[in-house]
Amino acid sequence: MSRYTSVTDTDLREMLATIGVGSIEELFTDVPSGLRLGRPLALEDGLSEQEAYTELRGLAERNVSTEQELSFLGAGMYDSYVPALVDAITSRSEFLTPYTPYQPEISQGGLQAMFEYQTAISELTGLPVSNASVYEGPSAVGAAGYLAKLHNGRRRFVVSEGVHPHAIETLETLAHGWQMEVEVVALVDGVTVLPELDDQVSAVIVAQPNFVGAVERLAPMADAAHAAGALAICAADPLPLGLLEAPGRLGIDIVVGEGQTLGNRLDFGGPSFGFFATTEALMRRLPGRIAGQTADLEGRRGFVLTLQTREQHIRREKATSNICTAQALNALAGIVYLSWLGRRGLVELAELLVQRTAYARDRLAALTGVALSHTQPVVREFPIRIYGDVDRAIEHCLSKGINPGYRLSSDELLVAITEQRTRADIDRLVDTLAEALA
């Protein structure tokens, strides 16, 4: 009997007999013997709380965070500033402790937060309908692909190589189960060039900006998708949408994305939240849940759950997503952040990113031994090609307390700029990289 799960010897015998095996060990016969331990775990006695704290603190000190290191890492997760207001609100017990509003009539505060979040996502994406968040960015792309499959029943996705690699991998994994194909289209000078689309394409999936930082021309791709009877899906970075035209206004049918930069920290890559917005025509197939606004018998404003297309509530084969986690607390951080920033603040932040990124791009491109991988417009991220010993250059930067970027290939770095990187920080990166390449 464990501390949490009471399984008696009788229970165990009955379960094993039901599935037709004689012992627990038989369940692992397909695992090669060389990979099985064959003995109990050699665990020492448990530490006291004080000893455990000391041990964990020592382990934590072996990590380097962005508070100790000047980081130009990006590639989907960014060192963005999180105002104190976000923690002040999300740490309130009313938001922190509830699991999910199964009795929505008594969860008015939570439902209002969802409704406000949906409104903000709709404004960002230029689409009329948003759900109350999904798990994270890559699974949002997968859910968008499934929506397209349900909508038109076609067998192939055409996906830009500029979509985040994790999202492409997620889509490929899910598409295998749907018996669908995923065709990945290579980038040309940093941007997507679509092939001719046939009547088997279910959806065209692109990113804005794409994985190598380039701003894509969405309208022609949406037109090409629609001409072939397919849906147009865009995985968008939310902060650049403060400056770029909303994808929904350019003909995109579904806009999804990773919400980490909206009030969520890096936190070893998660948790964060994914956002998902679409047209009214596709609303009934939207995964997750939607909070709606109504009025009670006395005419007072109230909020209700108006749509829950999840397998917990309807038959499994009818569900539009089997990933129920809405990450409501992280999405709450997103709407608190956007409310703190405001409409004008979002524009100013995007403009700041463009200006500092342009400065960094120009300064790095001027170094001997460095060239730009592409010359497309960018917002806050761009790749550079290094002619020399890239490993040595990275090691030198790391030794100086600088992470110069994400390694794209044997000779490429993807450099990301956030509002936390000042011109002085950029100068320090340039000077340090110049030393390494000298």
Side-chain angles (χ1 to χ4, degrees):
M1 176 175 171
S2 74
R3 181 174 176 185
Y4 300 105
T5 306
S6 301
V7 179
T8 66
D9 291 341
T10 301
D11 293 334
L12 192 57
R13 284 193 297 271
E14 289 180 0
M15 288 189 288
L16 291 172
T18 299
I19 62 175
V21 296
S23 67
I24 292 289
E25 287 69 28
E26 285 186 45
L27 297 174
F28 303 98
T29 54
D30 290 333
V31 178
S33 59
L35 299 178
R36 283 181 272 165
L37 186 61
R39 59 172 175 78
L41 290 172
L43 294 176
E44 299 178 0
D45 292 338
L47 300 176
S48 68
E49 179 180 329
Q50 179 179 339
E51 291 170 327
Y53 176 81
T54 301
E55 173 70 14
L56 293 173
R57 185 179 60 190
L59 292 174
E61 288 173 352
R62 292 164 61 183
N63 294 316
V64 177
S65 76
T66 53
E67 302 216 344
Q68 292 115 9
E69 179 181 78
L70 185 59
S71 177
F72 292 88
L73 274 175
M77 303 292 281
Y78 302 90
D79 180 28
S80 295
Y81 178 71
V82 179
L85 179 66
V86 171
D87 286 338
I89 293 179
T90 57
S91 61
R92 289 183 62 92
S93 61
E94 303 97 313
F95 294 117
L96 187 63
T97 58
Y99 171 57
T100 193
Y102 287 114
Q103 295 177 294
E105 65 277 2
I106 61 172
S107 304
Q108 287 296 295
L111 290 178
Q112 182 174 355
M114 290 182 196
F115 183 81
E116 304 292 356
Y117 162 83
Q118 292 166 190
T119 302
I121 295 300
S122 288
E123 292 185 5
L124 270 178
T125 60
L127 289 168
V129 184
S130 164
N131 69 7
S133 80
V134 289
Y135 191 53
E136 34 71 83
S139 64
V141 171
Y146 190 57
L147 190 157
K149 173 191 180 296
L150 293 176
H151 178 69
N152 54 37
R154 295 182 175 184
R155 57 180 295 275
R156 195 164 93 254
F157 298 118
V158 173
V159 185
S160 166
E161 188 183 25
V163 173
H164 197 289
H166 294 171
I168 295 176
E169 290 171 4
T170 300
L171 184 67
E172 289 175 334
T173 300
L174 294 171
H176 178 77
W178 307 331
Q179 297 181 324
M180 295 183 68
E181 299 175 6
V182 177
E183 177 186 348
V184 179
V185 179
L187 299 177
V188 178
D189 190 27
V191 292
T192 306
V193 178
L194 290 179
E196 185 174 348
L197 306 176
D198 59 30
D199 61 2
Q200 289 303 306
V201 176
S202 178
V204 171
I205 306 175
V206 296
Q208 182 70 312
N210 65 28
F211 186 66
V212 292
V215 175
E216 296 273 15
R217 296 182 66 238
L218 297 182
M221 288 187 278
D223 291 342
H226 295 155
L231 293 182
I233 300 172
C234 177
D237 186 343
L239 288 186
L241 294 184
L243 193 61
L244 302 176
E245 180 63 278
R249 297 193 185 97
L250 298 172
I252 299 295
D253 301 295
I254 304 171
V255 179
V256 297
E258 170 61 59
Q260 180 267 324
T261 53
L262 304 180
N264 285 254
R265 293 181 174 82
L266 292 170
D267 292 334
F268 297 97
S272 57
F273 69 94
F275 59 89
F276 197 119
T278 188
T279 61
E280 289 185 2
L282 300 172
M283 179 174 64
R284 298 302 303 179
R285 290 194 168 103
L286 192 67
R289 59 196 181 198
I290 297 177
Q293 180 177 277
T294 186
D296 65 13
L297 293 175
E298 298 178 5
R300 296 174 299 186
R301 186 170 73 148
F303 300 92
V304 293
L305 280 180
T306 59
L307 185 70
Q308 299 182 82
T309 53
R310 305 190 296 164
E311 84 284 355
Q312 289 172 309
H313 303 90
I314 60 179
R315 288 179 299 167
R316 184 170 297 172
E317 68 273 15
K318 296 284 188 180
T320 55
S321 175
N322 63 359
I323 300 176
C324 291
T325 306
Q327 300 294 70
L329 189 67
N330 299 83
L332 172 65
I335 184 56
V336 172
Y337 177 82
L338 287 170
S339 301
W340 169 79
L341 202 56
R343 282 192 177 95
R344 186 60 208 161
L346 181 63
V347 173
E348 291 174 353
L349 175 56
E351 290 175 342
L352 178 67
L353 293 177
V354 168
Q355 292 166 4
R356 290 188 180 170
T357 302
Y359 177 75
R361 200 183 193 194
D362 289 344
R363 285 226 57 198
L364 286 168
L367 288 178
T368 301
V370 173
L372 298 179
S373 297
H374 67 73
T375 57
Q376 302 295 336
V378 298
V379 177
R380 62 139 165 222
E381 200 162 17
F382 58 94
I384 57 173
R385 195 175 301 278
I386 297 176
Y387 300 99
D389 191 334
V390 178
D391 290 330
R392 182 177 178 182
I394 293 174
E395 289 174 7
H396 179 74
C397 290
L398 291 174
S399 72
K400 300 292 186 179
I402 302 171
N403 193 318
Y406 176 78
R407 182 77 169 268
L408 275 179
S409 64
S410 61
D411 62 349
E412 282 183 298
L413 279 180
L414 187 63
V415 180
I417 306 297
T418 73
E419 72 277 18
Q420 300 219 85
R421 302 289 81 85
T422 65
R423 287 172 67 98
D425 292 337
I426 295 167
D427 290 341
R428 184 178 160 197
L429 168 66
V430 173
D431 294 343
T432 304
L433 193 56
E435 290 174 4
L437 296 173

